Amino acid sequence: MSDKEQEKTIFPKPLKEGDLIVICSPAGPIAKEKVHGARDVLEAQGWCVRIAPHTLGKWGNYSGTDQERYDDLVDALLDPEVRAIVCSRGGYGVVHLMERLSKLDLTKDPKWIVGFSDISALHALMSSNNISSVHASMAAHIMLGADDPDNAALFAILRGAREAVAFPSSLYDRPGIATGRLIGGNLAVLADLIDTRFDVFKPGTVLFIEDVSEPIYKIERILYQLRLKGVLPNLAGLIVGRFTEYKADNSYKTMEQMVSDMVSPYSYPVAFEAPVGHVDHNIPLIENAKVTLKVTTAGNNYLIYWNS
């Protein structure tokens, strides 16, 4: 992606005291205690919080019907008073809403979208409109309070901060410096959007990936798909987040070993075991922001946001 295209990235307005945040559930159902706990924490930050009508609902595997979940999102996306949408949880179901959501003019008054896991599909939707969003923890973690460092970082981002992120180096790291647009999220969710209008995998980006409960061979298969597509060989840099709840197989004991082999033919920097994903320490990342990734052997790696 060219510098000219990078300049088109739209950042939603920073949140001020009294601004309105909507909590919604575009995918799976969630316990009301987690939503109410997150609401209390956000309100303690000085923001007003509205819980969307079907956030606490239950319909099969989802918080509501496709129409109910769509209505909640559309109401929040089009309400001029709403400045951010915090997704209560992931699960599965966002893909049901993507086709209709893509018909909205999201660039007229963009909101911050916050979440991860299945919410990676919403980040892809925003990316297709060149709008930034925040890959970050949701209600169950936000309810831990503002003293939690990941929550504090999220709240700072919503207020307009672009602080550099530092995270520990890994044995598998490949040092170097890369600059590009930061794109990524849950690998299985994003892989299902390949070759659609929501495909986020593009050469020249700094890609970050994570996943849960996926066997090593399946992640390898997705990476081969990206290799054959011409994306994997031509990334600017790669951040490998946490891959959790999987088992070793006869070829690899760890996911990191497999990914290391997959990217071994390429020269760009790769940071492994970044605190991103289905883990307690899940650092917030600004999707679509222009960044510089510095992978070092000095104990810490760095992700530095550009102001443009």
Side-chain angles (χ1 to χ4, degrees):
M1 183 166 293
S2 69
D3 288 341
K4 184 176 181 180
E5 289 174 307
Q6 290 281 5
E7 292 171 358
K8 296 179 182 177
T9 300
I10 301 169
F11 291 91
K13 297 176 182 178
L15 269 65
K16 308 183 303 295
E17 186 169 356
D19 276 346
L20 177 60
I21 295 175
V22 169
I23 301 177
C24 68
S25 300
I30 189 170
K32 66 179 180 179
E33 292 80 8
K34 294 178 181 178
V35 172
H36 291 168
R39 175 199 60 193
D40 294 345
V41 170
L42 293 170
E43 288 181 340
Q45 292 296 302
W47 297 314
C48 299
V49 178
R50 184 171 76 210
I51 298 174
H54 304 98
T55 301
L56 301 176
K58 180 75 165 64
W59 190 83
N61 293 325
Y62 315 106
S63 67
T65 65
D66 290 0
Q67 187 64 49
E68 289 170 341
R69 290 179 289 126
Y70 173 79
D71 288 343
D72 281 358
L73 268 178
V74 170
D75 287 347
L77 286 166
L78 299 185
D79 186 337
E81 294 187 2
V82 175
R83 302 309 335 143
I85 300 169
V86 173
C87 299
S88 72
R89 60 157 294 183
Y92 170 70
V94 172
V95 70
H96 301 163
L97 318 176
M98 297 284 282
E99 186 173 11
R100 285 191 288 171
L101 289 173
S102 69
K103 298 176 182 178
L104 303 176
D105 183 1
L106 300 177
T107 63
K108 185 176 180 180
D109 181 26
K111 328 290 187 182
W112 285 110
I113 300 286
V114 178
F116 78 109
S117 193
D118 195 53
I119 308 307
S120 294
L122 283 184
H123 294 310
L125 171 71
M126 303 306 280
S127 177
S128 71
N129 287 275
N130 286 325
I131 300 171
S132 276
S133 54
V134 189
H135 184 278
S137 297
M138 298 176 281
H141 194 95
I142 290 173
M143 68 181 292
L144 298 178
D147 290 338
D148 177 87
D150 295 329
N151 287 340
L154 169 61
F155 301 158
I157 288 172
L158 293 178
R159 292 187 172 102
R162 300 287 184 271
E163 300 295 333
V165 177
F167 54 94
S169 301
S170 165
L171 175 66
Y172 294 98
D173 285 353
R174 185 163 64 208
I177 298 176
T179 296
R181 182 183 291 197
L182 182 65
I183 293 289
N186 183 270
L187 188 57
V189 170
L190 295 177
D192 286 341
L193 300 176
I194 289 175
D195 290 333
T196 71
R197 74 191 83 170
F198 311 111
D199 189 343
V200 302
F201 297 112
K202 295 178 174 63
T205 59
V206 176
L207 177 67
F208 70 93
I209 56 176
E210 63 84 23
D211 221 315
V212 59
S213 301
E214 298 289 357
I216 294 175
Y217 80 87
K218 181 175 179 180
I219 299 301
E220 182 185 53
R221 185 168 61 197
I222 295 172
L223 294 179
Y224 265 107
Q225 187 177 9
L226 294 180
R227 174 183 286 186
L228 297 174
K229 184 178 169 65
V231 172
L232 194 64
N234 294 294
L235 293 173
L238 177 64
I239 300 172
V240 182
R242 300 305 174 92
F243 286 79
T244 54
E245 298 181 24
Y246 70 90
K247 297 179 181 179
D249 63 24
N250 292 332
S251 297
Y252 292 102
K253 292 183 178 180
T254 70
M255 196 74 73
E256 288 74 23
Q257 289 174 326
M258 181 275 293
V259 176
S260 181
D261 281 354
M262 284 294 302
V263 299
S264 61
Y266 317 126
S267 59
Y268 50 76
V270 184
F272 283 85
E273 299 181 295
V276 177
H278 292 70
V279 287
D280 291 337
H281 179 28
N282 180 26
I283 59 175
L285 297 175
I286 307 174
E287 301 259 11
N288 290 304
K290 191 173 182 181
V291 299
T292 294
L293 170 66
K294 295 184 177 181
V295 182
T296 76
T297 57
N300 275 319
N301 297 319
Y302 297 91
L303 194 65
I304 302 167
Y305 293 101
W306 289 44
N307 292 325
S308 60

